Amino acid sequence: MKIKTALLAAALAVPALATTTPAAPAADKYDGVKPVSAKRLSGALQVGYATNYTGRGYVVSHSVAQGDSVINTGLKLNYDFGKEKLWSASITLAYNVPTSGHTLYGNPNASVKTIAGKLMMGGMPYEQAMAHAQAAYGKVKIKQLNIENEFAVITAMNYTPKSELWNVSFGHDYIHGGLIGVMVKHYAKDGASSANEFFIHPEWTPYKWLSVGVKTSYSASGICGWWFEPTVTLKAPIVGTPEDIKVAGVLTFGMSAAAKYFDNGHYACDNGAQAFYIKFQTPWFAKKNLIITPGVSFNWAGPGALAANKCSEFREYSGNFYNYPFRNFGVVGSLSVTYTF
């Protein structure tokens, strides 16, 4: 049971871009024929810090958010309908704040080549355009785009049969801001910076120490298309016994992929594999209701993300090689504190 609570601690407040449907909080045993009781309601409150802005396996480059780290907070409530190992409903509120800037790439200066190119497109001769461009360099900005704080609301229905060999969650994600907000507002040019997704997340749990699942999401507004997020998770006690765990080890292998989500007009990713990652966490059950979870992940950009780096308009127009959206490889440290109730 504590292993499941540890997974809750790890998953509760991850950025919405990386949403894996959080595991349901451990529910008290309850006989469904009894009257409704407040004991059916459980939840968790979490505050965390990560060394890099991440989402759906992507690690955002230093230049995108004018920095690296992010603070995240989350609240999850779970309601058990009264039949153990069957139906429950959950709602998660997550809020993520970059600790640095909110202007993409810091709105860099246009390069001399870019300024001259625009002047020549207007009919100005090459030599004259280059002279004007050199005089204007440092005074012409590309364009100011923002990256907003990320707010997500995840509502789900969860079903676990008595055998516990599998479970499934399905529901809705509302995402405002963050990287999805950037893609919707600035590249899909929707105007708003929010998206609505419907998801289903089946998970196979043949052993207590192994779970294999895939979250499939369809974005129905902002940018329309599919996301797939398969994961394989291994978990075991490091300190203590399976019945009384003090420190657990949780190792997750995951990736993300998109289909019919991006197009050439977005100046964003190609469809297909987006990112791959390996994440290791060690939840420490400091007290009955207090969990402290350090973690580290190793993230690789997939072909879809690498395509976005190649066609980055900010890199092209500024002439700065480092103005690309995602890191090819990143190591991300994290620390969270969770209070369960």
Side-chain angles (χ1 to χ4, degrees), residues 247-296:
V247 179
V250 182
L251 179 64
T252 301
F253 300 87
M255 70 163 295
S256 65
K260 297 183 178 180
Y261 194 84
F262 300 106
D263 64 38
N264 294 333
H266 291 155
Y267 288 99
C269 308
D270 279 348
N271 291 301
Q274 301 300 311
F276 305 87
Y277 65 90
I278 301 172
K279 187 172 186 178
F280 181 64
Q281 296 172 292
T282 55
W284 169 39
F285 298 89
K287 293 185 178 180
K288 181 180 179 181
N289 299 103
L290 185 66
I291 308 167
I292 300 173
T293 307
V296 62

Side-chain angles (χ1 to χ4, degrees), residues 33-63:
V33 301
K34 293 180 180 179
V36 173
S37 166
K39 290 184 179 179
R40 293 186 182 182
L41 183 66
S42 58
L45 177 66
Q46 185 181 84
V47 177
Y49 171 86
T51 58
N52 291 90
Y53 201 139
T54 60
R56 287 191 175 148
Y58 300 128
V59 178
V60 175
S61 71
H62 179 87
S63 59

Side-chain angles (χ1 to χ4, degrees), residues 66-87:
Q66 301 173 275
D68 294 302
S69 57
V70 61
I71 295 172
N72 53 67
T73 60
L75 171 67
K76 178 169 181 173
L77 298 176
N78 190 84
Y79 184 79
D80 186 344
F81 287 104
K83 291 190 181 259
E84 187 184 8
K85 309 300 181 190
L86 292 177
W87 289 97

Side-chain angles (χ1 to χ4, degrees), residues 18 40 96 109 181 219 236 299 313 325 333:
R40 293 186 182 182
N96 304 286
N109 296 319
S219 179
N299 301 59
E313 59 178 343

Side-chain angles (χ1 to χ4, degrees), residues 295-307:
V296 62
S297 70
F298 303 89
N299 301 59
W300 293 264
L306 294 175

